[in-house]
Amino acid sequence: ADHEDIASLVAFLEEQRRQLRRAQQQEDAKRAADVKREAIAKAAAATTKPGEKPWKRPSAVPSELSKVGVLPATHLTPCELASAPRPERTHELPRPQQHFVEGFFVPRLFGERERPLLWAGV
């Protein structure tokens, strides 16, 4: 009779431990979700001006746009204009031949055992 009581007590305690772990995991998940929600709200409040609504992703429900008009223009300073990347040419014609590739920056003479490489078609 003692063995049955001990076995039932052990089974009861194991079930109680499982329920406690489940409850702790749910509390941790809820706490993490609350922290994430607060961080998002704090970031949205920091990026918006007072009196403006924060920008949100588009939804499936159609609605009227908040503002109508031209987007604000951004003008670069002369320093930014000078350092802005721009293409060397607007259009490059296709080359009929292969690009010449130089292997050394300093010219050198071939030795007795070296032979110059012959490119195909040159």
Side-chain angles (χ1 to χ4, degrees), residues 11-53:
F12 174 75
L13 290 174
E14 287 176 351
E15 180 61 30
Q16 192 178 28
R17 179 178 287 167
R18 271 191 235 112
Q19 290 175 356
L20 178 64
R21 284 184 185 156
R22 250 188 249 121
Q24 287 174 342
Q25 288 174 349
Q26 288 174 350
E27 288 175 10
D28 290 344
K30 184 179 179 185
R31 198 173 304 121
D34 290 343
V35 167
K36 185 177 179 181
R37 192 177 306 112
E38 288 174 7
I40 290 172
K42 186 177 179 182
T47 57
T48 58
K49 296 176 185 172
E52 280 188 358
K53 292 183 179 178

Side-chain angles (χ1 to χ4, degrees), residues 37-98:
R37 192 177 306 112
E38 288 174 7
I40 290 172
K42 186 177 179 182
T47 57
T48 58
K49 296 176 185 172
E52 280 188 358
K53 292 183 179 178
W55 181 86
K56 296 184 179 179
R57 293 188 183 279
S59 65
V61 180
S63 61
E64 188 176 338
L65 296 174
S66 59
K67 293 180 182 178
V68 178
V70 180
L71 292 174
T74 303
H75 299 285
L76 298 177
T77 63
C79 182
E80 291 171 336
L81 283 171
S83 63
R86 49 183 66 83
E88 293 178 11
R89 296 181 183 164
T90 56
H91 175 71
E92 291 188 14
L93 297 173
R95 290 178 152 249
Q97 300 171 346
Q98 182 181 11

